[in-house]
Amino acid sequence: MPDGSKHDPGAATLLRDVFGFDAFRPGQQDIVEAVTRGDNVLAIMPTGGGKSLCFQLPALLRDGVTVVISPLIALMRDQVRGLREAGVVAGALTSGNTPEETDAVWDQLSDGTLKLLYLAPERLANTGTQRMLSQAGISLIAVDEAHCVSQWGHDFRPDYLRIGELRRSLGVPLAAFTATADAETQEEIVQRLFEGEPPQRFLHGFDRPNLHLAFAPKDGPRAQILRFADARRGQSGIVYCGTRAKTESLAKALSDEKHLACHYHGGMEADDRRIVETRFQQEDGLIVVATVAFGMGVDKPDIRWVAHADLPKSIEAYYQEIGRAGRDGAPAETLTLYGADDIRLRRSQIDEGLAPPDRRAADHGRLNALLGLAEAQECRRKTLLGYFGEHEVTCGLCDLCDSPPAVFDGTEAVRKALSAALRTGESFGAGHLIDILTGNATDKVKARQHDALPTFGVGKDLNRLAWQGVFRQMMGHDLMRPDAERHGALVMTEAARPILRGEAQITLRRDSLNRAATDRRPAVRAMVSDEDAPLLSALKAKRRALAEAARVPAYVIFPDRTLIEMVEARPDSLDAMARISGVGAKKLERYGAAFLSVLTSGAEQDMHPTRRKLAGQGAGNLYDQLLEAQAGLARGADGTEKPLSCSAGLLAKVAQTRPGDDAALERLLGDRRMERFGTAFLDVLHGAD
Ligand code: ADP
Ligand code: ZN
């Protein structure tokens, strides 16, 4: 695939194996790449956003030692301990060191095993330290809390003023990090640490304002995904699934609905994976149904939607996966489905993993954050970005802003549910507990005499579906957890105790099971009016033809945005065309006339001459449908076979003669084409009767 692949597999592996994270947080990846490359970097990230990873990971990817300067001794010691536990050779030189600790650091420095050396700023005043650093093979300086260099700030540390000099004398790149974003402080940092030479700056808000965010509880998940995809027919999208098997079955279901879809997972041959990657990059409107293995190398800017058929692993993974949509800045949509089974699965994956206990606890925490987002009662964007430390958020582009959910005081329901669980020894899953609550005397209930419990039938005010929503939300708020050792029996957590005791209240969403999220009108189709839609299609067809001829992805010719603007502005000359954003001088010269002809003389200009001859006849329409059916099968039903197509003349003949059965069609097509296209063509022909 084109080398847009920004992801260093080394970085991804270390991220997982050393740090135990399954995805980068917003902003981290770009910073890690720049620092690893050896760029001078100034990165501004909110507190808690994950700055330390942005120098720790490059330190491991680069040769030599990374010096980390940080004003907080306790924090340095924490980081050193954490790194050592993860198997990284790191040490600190601070005033709190014992002589043995200091000796050990010097030893590791001289034998070349040390990767990260944390240094208290006052050490820089010491000429011995300076000399030692100049001989130690330092290859990078990282400065945490870089605003401490600002004399006007309240955190000023005079020793930070020595860092610029250190950088000059060592002649190595420097990466500075801070959460303080005001322009004066930034300017001072640039002056003092980089001696005025502008570093590469990273100050993104984490918000992706063009992404629409939506979650929906699973309610016939396959149909939910099919509906979502159907409303976005012809747009490129990704469906993430929890298992390999599901990618295959869902891709087939989409293909059966005449979508251009194929599956992708880590169990496929490398060649087959590459075929899918290349197709996705180059074709318009392909849906890839994939596990998270798909994405590392995906750098397609015009992905119009991402759907999760299953709940992602953590809030970081969620952010990264939805973040693949809409990189071109044009509207893009996301939908994440989740249900009680997802929660059980994700919990058990963590519990059954081999990670040490505190890492497992952190993983549960990150899953809780995602569940909190799934069960949020107001703005998803606020909830999501709040988790990453960003609190000034405007939205209006999420399902909860579109239509705030109905909520109810769930305190009573939750107490009843907890009591049902406790009275049955916390040994049962939601299904059985709901039977008890709703007074459903199943054999299992009777066999265990649970129909004699005081909780039997106390929850008749809610139906089964509503109770399922209550249990799912209880798991989502981490009030109950499935017990990994006992097949998902629900166990109360500490967080539930105040509610049980009547000391806290809880508001729950009413699962209206409204279809608002899945049935939302697609953003892109809504961007041009219905009467303009054919023109947009014609422009896209032109783009596809040019892209195929030049063997480049379609968006390289023009992004969707530019085509939409053409439709709206209807430029009627090359001069007018030049004013469309995205049409630079080079592209105007190369493609201007071709697109202008589509715009000025209508879509017919863009037709194959053979098709043009059929215009105005019924056969013209039929021809178009055959062409579309053929496009969907150009590489076979599963998208992996050799390309095959029928000539325009042959299609025209099929459209005009309308063979009514297999034999007649096969006489026209021959056996190879018959095998590939026969059924689909006959469908089209019969549909026309
Ligand atoms: P900062 O220095 O920006 O305040 P830290 O580097 O201390 O933030 O990170 C804050 C928290 O985020 C830490 O608990 C860290 O383990 C966690 N964290 C950092 N990066 C990731 C990631 N990619 N995925 C999950 N958690 C992360
Ligand atoms: Zn919102």
Side-chain angles (χ1 to χ4, degrees):
M1 60 193 301
D3 200 5
S5 120
K6 294 202 307 198
H7 204 99
D8 183 339
T13 312
L14 289 175
L15 182 68
R16 195 180 51 242
D17 294 352
V18 177
F19 298 93
F21 302 145
D22 38 70
F24 283 111
R25 283 205 172 159
Q28 282 180 331
Q29 185 172 344
D30 291 340
I31 300 172
V32 164
E33 281 164 6
V35 176
T36 305
R37 250 191 332 262
D39 294 352
N40 284 324
V41 164
L42 169 57
I44 293 135
M45 281 176 113
T47 305
K51 285 186 281 293
S52 21
L53 183 90
C54 297
F55 53 82
Q56 291 174 345
L57 188 51
L60 302 186
L61 287 165
R62 289 173 62 87
D63 289 334
V65 184
T66 293
V67 171
V68 183
I69 296 163
S70 165
L72 300 165
I73 294 182
L75 206 117
M76 278 195 267
R77 295 186 146 258
D78 265 6
Q79 291 199 4
V80 169
R81 193 172 329 115
L83 286 166
R84 285 197 184 143
E85 271 166 23
V88 175
V89 188
L93 290 177
T94 71
S95 51
N97 279 30
T98 63
E100 294 76 40
E101 282 173 329
T102 302
D103 285 349
V105 173
W106 288 114
D107 287 348
Q108 289 168 333
L109 202 52
S110 55
D111 68 21
T113 49
L114 197 72
K115 287 308 292 176
L116 284 115
L117 173 61
Y118 284 76
L119 203 64
E122 53 275 13
R123 281 268 168 172
L124 293 174
N126 180 322
T127 46
T129 306
Q130 294 266 9
R131 189 165 353 100
M132 171 278 290
L133 291 178
S134 67
Q135 291 160 8
I138 307 295
S139 64
L140 175 67
I141 302 172
V143 182
D144 206 359
E145 315 291 347
H147 59 279
C148 291
V149 79
S150 160
Q151 275 174 302
W152 314 115
H154 45 268
D155 286 336
F156 178 53
R157 301 284 297 244
D159 289 314
Y160 262 55
L161 295 175
R162 299 177 192 276
I163 299 173
E165 193 187 310
L166 177 70
R167 183 183 76 89
R168 189 165 2 103
S169 72
L170 294 177
V172 298
L174 186 145
F177 298 86
T178 176
T180 309
D182 67 84
E184 294 79 22
T185 312
Q186 280 189 50
E187 220 23 66
E188 270 193 278
I189 293 175
V190 173
Q191 288 308 327
R192 306 232 150 102
L193 296 186
F194 301 98
E195 296 175 310
E197 195 183 309
Q200 198 177 334
R201 252 180 251 225
F202 294 91
L203 166 69
H204 351 253
F206 296 156
D207 192 14
R208 296 282 312 280
N210 58 321
L211 292 191
H212 185 272
L213 311 180
F215 281 69
K218 285 186 181 176
D219 171 32
R222 169 173 297 216
Q224 285 173 297
I225 295 288
L226 289 175
R227 275 206 305 278
F228 189 75
D230 194 52
R232 288 152 189 84
R233 206 167 262 281
Q235 301 180 4
S236 302
I238 304 177
V239 182
Y240 281 113
C241 299
T243 63
R244 292 174 177 180
K246 195 186 265 188
T247 66
E248 299 187 9
S249 64
L250 201 48
K252 175 150 188 328
L254 284 161
S255 301
D256 288 347
E257 299 282 316
K258 302 271 182 292
H259 287 280
L260 209 52
C262 53
H263 66 265
Y264 183 104
H265 56 67
M268 285 161 59
E269 296 289 336
D271 284 349
D272 294 337
R273 273 182 294 168
R274 198 140 326 117
I275 290 172
V276 177
E277 285 165 3
T278 312
R279 282 189 62 193
F280 189 59
Q281 197 82 10
Q282 306 223 332
E283 283 177 30
D284 233 2
L286 181 66
I287 301 172
V288 177
V289 187
T291 62
V292 292
F294 187 66
M296 289 305 178
V298 179
D299 201 18
K300 183 179 168 67
D302 57 347
I303 300 171
R304 293 272 68 85
W305 57 271
V306 168
H308 286 107
D310 298 300
L311 186 77
K313 208 171 172 179
S314 66
I315 195 162
E316 283 84 7
Y318 166 78
Y319 181 91
Q320 193 172 62
E321 285 151 24
I322 61 160
R324 301 206 165 102
R327 293 224 186 111
D328 55 3
E333 287 160 297
T334 70
L335 171 67
T336 301
L337 300 182
Y338 66 105
D341 286 341
D342 291 291
I343 304 177
R344 254 192 295 280
L345 176 74
R346 291 303 188 193
R347 291 254 184 256
S348 65
Q349 283 173 340
I350 296 171
D351 288 329
E352 288 157 17
L354 298 171
D358 52 344
R359 193 175 275 182
R360 257 184 279 164
D363 285 342
H364 278 300
R366 288 193 279 267
L367 176 58
N368 283 349
L370 179 60
L371 293 171
L373 181 63
E375 301 292 6
Q377 291 165 10
E378 47 176 17
C379 189
R380 306 259 182 225
R381 194 169 249 97
K382 284 206 172 102
T383 313
L384 175 65
L385 296 177
Y387 175 78
F388 293 125
E390 225 172 74
H391 299 285
E392 303 287 310
V393 178
T394 48
C395 178
L397 207 62
C398 76
D399 55 342
L400 300 180
C401 283
D402 297 343
S403 54
V407 296
F408 68 104
D409 182 347
T411 314
E412 260 325 294
V414 167
R415 291 176 67 180
K416 286 176 188 169
L418 290 171
S419 139
L422 292 173
R423 285 179 188 276
T424 51
E426 301 185 297
S427 308
F428 297 90
H432 186 73
L433 296 175
I434 293 174
D435 285 334
I436 296 173
L437 288 161
T438 55
N440 184 17
T442 62
D443 292 348
K444 188 170 166 188
V445 166
K446 282 187 280 191
R448 292 176 169 75
Q449 288 161 4
H450 289 160
D451 48 350
L453 291 172
T455 28
F456 185 75
V458 294
K460 285 193 172 133
D461 51 327
L462 298 179
N463 65 19
R464 196 167 186 90
L465 205 62
W467 274 113
Q468 282 165 352
V470 170
F471 275 94
R472 194 199 65 242
Q473 292 182 70
M474 288 174 70
M475 287 193 260
H477 291 286
D478 205 14
L479 305 177
M480 299 190 102
R481 280 194 192 181
D483 184 342
E485 253 117 68
R486 287 183 299 164
H487 286 302
L490 288 174
V491 178
M492 189 177 102
T493 65
E494 277 310 301
R497 213 164 285 283
I499 299 176
L500 188 66
R501 288 208 207 102
E503 294 160 8
Q505 307 241 307
I506 183 163
T507 304
L508 296 181
R509 301 170 48 144
R510 215 176 273 293
D511 269 3
S512 50
L513 296 179
N514 66 27
R515 296 185 157 180
T518 41
D519 292 358
R520 211 179 101 81
R521 262 186 68 133
V524 169
R525 199 169 294 169
M527 284 174 66
V528 301
S529 64
D530 282 351
E531 66 263 34
D532 284 343
L535 182 56
L536 184 60
S537 307
L539 290 171
K540 283 189 168 180
K542 170 58 75 186
R543 176 175 68 176
R544 194 177 323 131
L546 291 168
E548 272 165 22
R551 294 174 178 277
V552 295
Y555 61 82
V556 170
I557 310 272
F558 285 127
D560 283 356
R561 261 189 168 178
T562 302
L563 299 191
I564 290 163
E565 202 179 322
M566 285 181 195
V567 169
E568 281 164 358
R570 300 284 170 106
D572 54 3
S573 65
L574 284 176
D575 291 331
M577 188 69 120
R579 286 193 290 274
I580 303 284
S581 63
V583 185
K586 261 254 157 48
K587 291 201 174 172
L588 185 66
E589 187 189 320
R590 252 191 232 157
Y591 310 122
F595 284 89
L596 197 60
S597 76
V598 177
L599 286 160
T600 51
S601 39
E604 301 88 275
Q605 283 295 319
D606 207 38
M607 283 178 180
H608 193 283
T610 311
R611 164 68 181 85
R612 214 175 302 151
K613 284 197 208 108
L614 302 178
Q617 312 170 18
N621 195 1
L622 213 45
Y623 178 99
D624 292 344
Q625 292 178 43
L626 292 168
L627 195 65
E628 195 178 326
Q630 164 172 282
L633 293 168
R635 286 188 175 83
D638 60 1
T640 58
E641 288 167 38
K642 281 221 179 78
L644 186 68
S645 61
C646 308
S647 68
L650 184 54
L651 284 181
K653 196 172 271 170
V654 174
Q656 282 167 318
T657 60
R658 299 193 183 196
D661 56 31
D662 281 24
L665 184 59
E666 180 157 6
R667 273 196 298 281
L668 282 176
L669 296 185
D671 53 351
R672 268 178 62 230
R673 291 191 169 77
M674 183 66 194
E675 192 184 321
R676 178 81 57 95
F677 305 115
T679 314
F681 281 9
L682 283 171
D683 277 353
V684 170
L685 293 164
H686 290 153
D689 290 343

